[in-house]
Amino acid sequence: MRKVRIICPVCSKSRRITLSDDIFNFDAGSLLRFPIKSGTVCSHQFIIIMDYNFSIRDYEIITTDQELTQFHRLEKKNISLYEFISY
């Protein structure tokens, strides 16, 4: 388990969350795009882009709920990314 400090790119509020080390076993790329739902850090929803060292490289601001729902399930493994997060 790794603790990661998430900072909202809109309002700059932050929260430390715990992510499972297994999260990268389900993504073939070198970076993982991980959705952050509204209420996790603040009232905004966004995507963090994280590398294998659990360093956050960038953020993407989400403008619609549809953009967030496309990340809720990994197509290949049918595993929710939210299974790897704890607070």
Side-chain angles (χ1 to χ4, degrees), residues 7-44:
I7 301 171
C8 174
V10 178
C11 68
S12 299
K13 287 186 180 179
S14 68
R15 182 172 184 184
R16 193 169 293 274
I17 60 172
T18 304
L19 295 173
S20 171
D21 292 329
D22 296 333
I23 194 166
F24 284 105
N25 291 342
F26 299 103
D27 187 27
S30 60
L31 296 174
L32 177 67
R33 296 177 74 215
F34 193 87
I36 303 296
K37 293 190 284 188
S38 177
T40 302
V41 175
C42 61
S43 62
H44 301 106

Short mmCIF file of all heavy atoms in Angstrom, two decimals, residues 7-44:
data_model
loop_
_atom_site.label_atom_id
_atom_site.label_comp_id
_atom_site.label_asym_id
_atom_site.label_seq_id
_atom_site.Cartn_x
_atom_site.Cartn_y
_atom_site.Cartn_z
N ILE A 7 -3.97 16.55 -4.91
CA ILE A 7 -4.30 17.98 -4.83
C ILE A 7 -5.26 18.29 -5.96
O ILE A 7 -4.98 18.00 -7.12
CB ILE A 7 -3.04 18.86 -4.96
CG1 ILE A 7 -2.05 18.52 -3.84
CG2 ILE A 7 -3.42 20.34 -4.93
CD1 ILE A 7 -0.70 19.17 -4.00
N CYS A 8 -6.39 18.89 -5.63
CA CYS A 8 -7.37 19.25 -6.64
C CYS A 8 -6.79 20.34 -7.55
O CYS A 8 -6.30 21.36 -7.06
CB CYS A 8 -8.66 19.75 -6.00
SG CYS A 8 -9.86 20.37 -7.20
N PRO A 9 -6.83 20.13 -8.87
CA PRO A 9 -6.28 21.13 -9.79
C PRO A 9 -7.17 22.38 -9.92
O PRO A 9 -6.74 23.37 -10.48
CB PRO A 9 -6.20 20.38 -11.12
CG PRO A 9 -7.22 19.32 -11.03
CD PRO A 9 -7.29 18.94 -9.58
N VAL A 10 -8.38 22.31 -9.37
CA VAL A 10 -9.30 23.45 -9.46
C VAL A 10 -9.21 24.34 -8.23
O VAL A 10 -8.99 25.54 -8.32
CB VAL A 10 -10.76 22.96 -9.67
CG1 VAL A 10 -11.72 24.13 -9.71
CG2 VAL A 10 -10.87 22.12 -10.93
N CYS A 11 -9.36 23.74 -7.02
CA CYS A 11 -9.42 24.54 -5.80
C CYS A 11 -8.21 24.37 -4.88
O CYS A 11 -8.11 25.02 -3.85
CB CYS A 11 -10.69 24.22 -5.03
SG CYS A 11 -10.74 22.54 -4.33
N SER A 12 -7.29 23.47 -5.22
CA SER A 12 -6.05 23.23 -4.49
C SER A 12 -6.23 22.57 -3.12
O SER A 12 -5.28 22.52 -2.34
CB SER A 12 -5.23 24.51 -4.32
OG SER A 12 -4.89 25.02 -5.60
N LYS A 13 -7.41 22.04 -2.82
CA LYS A 13 -7.57 21.27 -1.59
C LYS A 13 -6.82 19.96 -1.78
O LYS A 13 -6.67 19.46 -2.89
CB LYS A 13 -9.03 20.98 -1.30
CG LYS A 13 -9.79 22.19 -0.82
CD LYS A 13 -11.19 21.80 -0.42
CE LYS A 13 -11.95 23.03 0.05
NZ LYS A 13 -13.32 22.71 0.43
N SER A 14 -6.34 19.40 -0.67
CA SER A 14 -5.58 18.16 -0.79
C SER A 14 -6.07 17.12 0.20
O SER A 14 -6.70 17.44 1.21
CB SER A 14 -4.08 18.41 -0.58
OG SER A 14 -3.83 18.78 0.75
N ARG A 15 -5.75 15.86 -0.10
CA ARG A 15 -6.09 14.75 0.77
C ARG A 15 -5.12 13.62 0.48
O ARG A 15 -4.75 13.38 -0.66
CB ARG A 15 -7.51 14.29 0.52
CG ARG A 15 -7.92 13.17 1.45
CD ARG A 15 -9.37 12.87 1.32
NE ARG A 15 -9.73 11.85 2.30
CZ ARG A 15 -10.89 11.32 2.40
NH1 ARG A 15 -11.86 11.72 1.62
NH2 ARG A 15 -11.14 10.40 3.30
N ARG A 16 -4.72 12.94 1.52
CA ARG A 16 -3.83 11.80 1.37
C ARG A 16 -4.69 10.54 1.31
O ARG A 16 -5.51 10.30 2.18
CB ARG A 16 -2.86 11.73 2.54
CG ARG A 16 -1.71 10.77 2.31
CD ARG A 16 -0.65 10.92 3.38
NE ARG A 16 0.04 12.19 3.31
CZ ARG A 16 1.10 12.45 2.53
NH1 ARG A 16 1.55 11.53 1.74
NH2 ARG A 16 1.68 13.62 2.55
N ILE A 17 -4.48 9.74 0.26
CA ILE A 17 -5.22 8.50 0.10
C ILE A 17 -4.22 7.35 0.00
O ILE A 17 -3.04 7.57 -0.28
CB ILE A 17 -6.14 8.52 -1.13
CG1 ILE A 17 -5.35 8.73 -2.42
CG2 ILE A 17 -7.23 9.57 -0.99
CD1 ILE A 17 -6.17 8.58 -3.68
N THR A 18 -4.69 6.15 0.25
CA THR A 18 -3.86 4.97 0.16
C THR A 18 -4.25 4.16 -1.06
O THR A 18 -5.43 3.87 -1.27
CB THR A 18 -4.01 4.11 1.43
OG1 THR A 18 -3.71 4.91 2.57
CG2 THR A 18 -3.07 2.92 1.39
N LEU A 19 -3.28 3.81 -1.88
CA LEU A 19 -3.51 3.02 -3.08
C LEU A 19 -2.76 1.69 -2.97
O LEU A 19 -1.64 1.64 -2.46
CB LEU A 19 -3.00 3.76 -4.33
CG LEU A 19 -3.71 5.05 -4.70
CD1 LEU A 19 -2.99 5.74 -5.83
CD2 LEU A 19 -5.14 4.76 -5.08
N SER A 20 -3.38 0.65 -3.45
CA SER A 20 -2.76 -0.67 -3.45
C SER A 20 -1.62 -0.71 -4.47
O SER A 20 -1.72 -0.13 -5.55
CB SER A 20 -3.80 -1.72 -3.80
OG SER A 20 -3.19 -2.97 -4.01
N ASP A 21 -0.55 -1.43 -4.14
CA ASP A 21 0.56 -1.61 -5.07
C ASP A 21 0.14 -2.39 -6.31
O ASP A 21 0.77 -2.30 -7.35
CB ASP A 21 1.72 -2.34 -4.40
CG ASP A 21 2.39 -1.51 -3.33
OD1 ASP A 21 2.40 -0.27 -3.47
OD2 ASP A 21 2.90 -2.09 -2.36
N ASP A 22 -0.93 -3.15 -6.21
CA ASP A 22 -1.40 -3.98 -7.32
C ASP A 22 -2.07 -3.19 -8.44
O ASP A 22 -2.40 -3.76 -9.47
CB ASP A 22 -2.41 -5.02 -6.81
CG ASP A 22 -1.76 -5.99 -5.84
OD1 ASP A 22 -0.53 -6.20 -5.95
OD2 ASP A 22 -2.47 -6.52 -4.98
N ILE A 23 -2.26 -1.92 -8.26
CA ILE A 23 -2.99 -1.13 -9.25
C ILE A 23 -2.31 -1.15 -10.61
O ILE A 23 -2.97 -1.13 -11.64
CB ILE A 23 -3.22 0.31 -8.75
CG1 ILE A 23 -4.26 0.99 -9.61
CG2 ILE A 23 -1.94 1.09 -8.73
CD1 ILE A 23 -4.77 2.26 -9.01
N PHE A 24 -0.99 -1.25 -10.65
CA PHE A 24 -0.28 -1.25 -11.93
C PHE A 24 -0.24 -2.62 -12.59
O PHE A 24 0.20 -2.74 -13.71
CB PHE A 24 1.13 -0.68 -11.77
CG PHE A 24 1.13 0.80 -11.62
CD1 PHE A 24 1.36 1.39 -10.39
CD2 PHE A 24 0.89 1.62 -12.71
CE1 PHE A 24 1.35 2.77 -10.25
CE2 PHE A 24 0.88 3.01 -12.57
CZ PHE A 24 1.11 3.56 -11.35
N ASN A 25 -0.70 -3.65 -11.93
CA ASN A 25 -0.76 -4.97 -12.54
C ASN A 25 -1.85 -5.06 -13.61
O ASN A 25 -1.89 -6.00 -14.38
CB ASN A 25 -1.02 -6.05 -11.49
CG ASN A 25 0.16 -6.22 -10.56
OD1 ASN A 25 1.26 -5.81 -10.88
ND2 ASN A 25 -0.09 -6.82 -9.43
N PHE A 26 -2.75 -4.08 -13.64
CA PHE A 26 -3.88 -4.13 -14.55
C PHE A 26 -3.77 -3.13 -15.69
O PHE A 26 -4.66 -3.02 -16.50
CB PHE A 26 -5.18 -3.88 -13.78
CG PHE A 26 -5.40 -4.93 -12.74
CD1 PHE A 26 -5.14 -4.65 -11.41
CD2 PHE A 26 -5.83 -6.19 -13.08
CE1 PHE A 26 -5.33 -5.63 -10.44
CE2 PHE A 26 -6.01 -7.17 -12.13
CZ PHE A 26 -5.76 -6.88 -10.80
N ASP A 27 -2.69 -2.39 -15.74
CA ASP A 27 -2.50 -1.41 -16.81
C ASP A 27 -1.17 -1.67 -17.49
O ASP A 27 -0.15 -1.77 -16.84
CB ASP A 27 -2.55 0.01 -16.23
CG ASP A 27 -2.54 1.08 -17.29
OD1 ASP A 27 -3.00 0.79 -18.41
OD2 ASP A 27 -2.09 2.19 -17.00
N ALA A 28 -1.20 -1.77 -18.79
CA ALA A 28 0.01 -2.11 -19.54
C ALA A 28 0.90 -0.91 -19.81
O ALA A 28 2.06 -1.07 -20.14
CB ALA A 28 -0.38 -2.74 -20.88
N GLY A 29 0.39 0.30 -19.67
CA GLY A 29 1.16 1.50 -19.98
C GLY A 29 2.09 1.90 -18.86
O GLY A 29 2.07 1.34 -17.77
N SER A 30 2.94 2.86 -19.13
CA SER A 30 3.88 3.33 -18.11
C SER A 30 3.24 4.36 -17.18
O SER A 30 3.75 4.63 -16.12
CB SER A 30 5.12 3.92 -18.76
OG SER A 30 4.76 5.01 -19.57
N LEU A 31 2.11 4.92 -17.61
CA LEU A 31 1.37 5.87 -16.79
C LEU A 31 -0.06 5.36 -16.60
O LEU A 31 -0.61 4.72 -17.48
CB LEU A 31 1.32 7.25 -17.45
CG LEU A 31 2.65 7.96 -17.64
CD1 LEU A 31 2.45 9.25 -18.43
CD2 LEU A 31 3.30 8.26 -16.30
N LEU A 32 -0.62 5.65 -15.45
CA LEU A 32 -1.99 5.24 -15.16
C LEU A 32 -2.86 6.48 -15.02
O LEU A 32 -2.50 7.43 -14.31
CB LEU A 32 -2.02 4.45 -13.85
CG LEU A 32 -3.38 4.01 -13.35
CD1 LEU A 32 -3.97 2.96 -14.31
CD2 LEU A 32 -3.30 3.45 -11.96
N ARG A 33 -3.98 6.49 -15.71
CA ARG A 33 -4.96 7.56 -15.57
C ARG A 33 -5.99 7.06 -14.57
O ARG A 33 -6.67 6.08 -14.80
CB ARG A 33 -5.61 7.86 -16.91
CG ARG A 33 -4.59 8.38 -17.90
CD ARG A 33 -5.19 8.63 -19.25
NE ARG A 33 -6.01 9.84 -19.18
CZ ARG A 33 -7.14 10.00 -19.86
NH1 ARG A 33 -7.60 9.06 -20.66
NH2 ARG A 33 -7.83 11.11 -19.75
N PHE A 34 -6.08 7.73 -13.43
CA PHE A 34 -6.92 7.28 -12.33
C PHE A 34 -7.98 8.34 -12.02
O PHE A 34 -7.64 9.47 -11.71
CB PHE A 34 -6.03 7.04 -11.10
CG PHE A 34 -6.71 6.30 -10.00
CD1 PHE A 34 -6.71 4.92 -9.98
CD2 PHE A 34 -7.37 6.98 -8.99
CE1 PHE A 34 -7.33 4.23 -8.97
CE2 PHE A 34 -8.00 6.30 -7.98
CZ PHE A 34 -7.98 4.91 -7.96
N PRO A 35 -9.26 7.99 -12.09
CA PRO A 35 -10.32 8.97 -11.85
C PRO A 35 -10.50 9.25 -10.36
O PRO A 35 -10.44 8.34 -9.53
CB PRO A 35 -11.56 8.29 -12.43
CG PRO A 35 -11.27 6.83 -12.29
CD PRO A 35 -9.78 6.68 -12.47
N ILE A 36 -10.71 10.50 -10.03
CA ILE A 36 -11.01 10.92 -8.67
C ILE A 36 -12.43 11.48 -8.68
O ILE A 36 -12.70 12.48 -9.33
CB ILE A 36 -10.02 11.99 -8.16
CG1 ILE A 36 -8.58 11.46 -8.25
CG2 ILE A 36 -10.36 12.45 -6.76
CD1 ILE A 36 -8.27 10.28 -7.36
N LYS A 37 -13.33 10.80 -7.98
CA LYS A 37 -14.73 11.19 -7.95
C LYS A 37 -14.94 12.42 -7.06
O LYS A 37 -14.16 12.68 -6.14
CB LYS A 37 -15.61 10.06 -7.41
CG LYS A 37 -15.67 8.85 -8.30
CD LYS A 37 -16.72 7.88 -7.85
CE LYS A 37 -16.26 7.10 -6.65
NZ LYS A 37 -17.18 6.01 -6.29
N SER A 38 -16.02 13.11 -7.34
CA SER A 38 -16.44 14.24 -6.51
C SER A 38 -16.65 13.73 -5.08
O SER A 38 -17.27 12.69 -4.87
CB SER A 38 -17.73 14.82 -7.07
OG SER A 38 -18.19 15.85 -6.25
N GLY A 39 -16.11 14.43 -4.10
CA GLY A 39 -16.23 14.03 -2.71
C GLY A 39 -15.02 13.30 -2.17
O GLY A 39 -14.88 13.13 -0.97
N THR A 40 -14.13 12.85 -3.03
CA THR A 40 -12.92 12.16 -2.58
C THR A 40 -11.93 13.14 -1.96
O THR A 40 -11.42 12.92 -0.88
CB THR A 40 -12.24 11.41 -3.74
OG1 THR A 40 -13.18 10.48 -4.30
CG2 THR A 40 -11.02 10.66 -3.27
N VAL A 41 -11.69 14.24 -2.66
CA VAL A 41 -10.79 15.29 -2.16
C VAL A 41 -11.59 16.55 -1.85
O VAL A 41 -11.40 17.18 -0.83
CB VAL A 41 -9.69 15.60 -3.20
CG1 VAL A 41 -8.82 16.75 -2.75
CG2 VAL A 41 -8.84 14.37 -3.47
N CYS A 42 -12.48 16.90 -2.76
CA CYS A 42 -13.31 18.09 -2.65
C CYS A 42 -14.56 17.86 -3.50
O CYS A 42 -14.88 16.72 -3.81
CB CYS A 42 -12.54 19.32 -3.14
SG CYS A 42 -12.05 19.18 -4.86
N SER A 43 -15.24 18.91 -3.89
CA SER A 43 -16.45 18.75 -4.68
C SER A 43 -16.18 18.59 -6.18
O SER A 43 -17.11 18.37 -6.95
CB SER A 43 -17.38 19.94 -4.46
OG SER A 43 -16.76 21.13 -4.90
N HIS A 44 -14.93 18.67 -6.59
CA HIS A 44 -14.58 18.55 -8.00
C HIS A 44 -14.24 17.10 -8.36
O HIS A 44 -13.84 16.33 -7.50
CB HIS A 44 -13.40 19.46 -8.35
CG HIS A 44 -13.67 20.89 -8.05
ND1 HIS A 44 -13.11 21.53 -6.98
CD2 HIS A 44 -14.46 21.78 -8.68
CE1 HIS A 44 -13.54 22.79 -6.96
NE2 HIS A 44 -14.36 22.96 -7.98
#
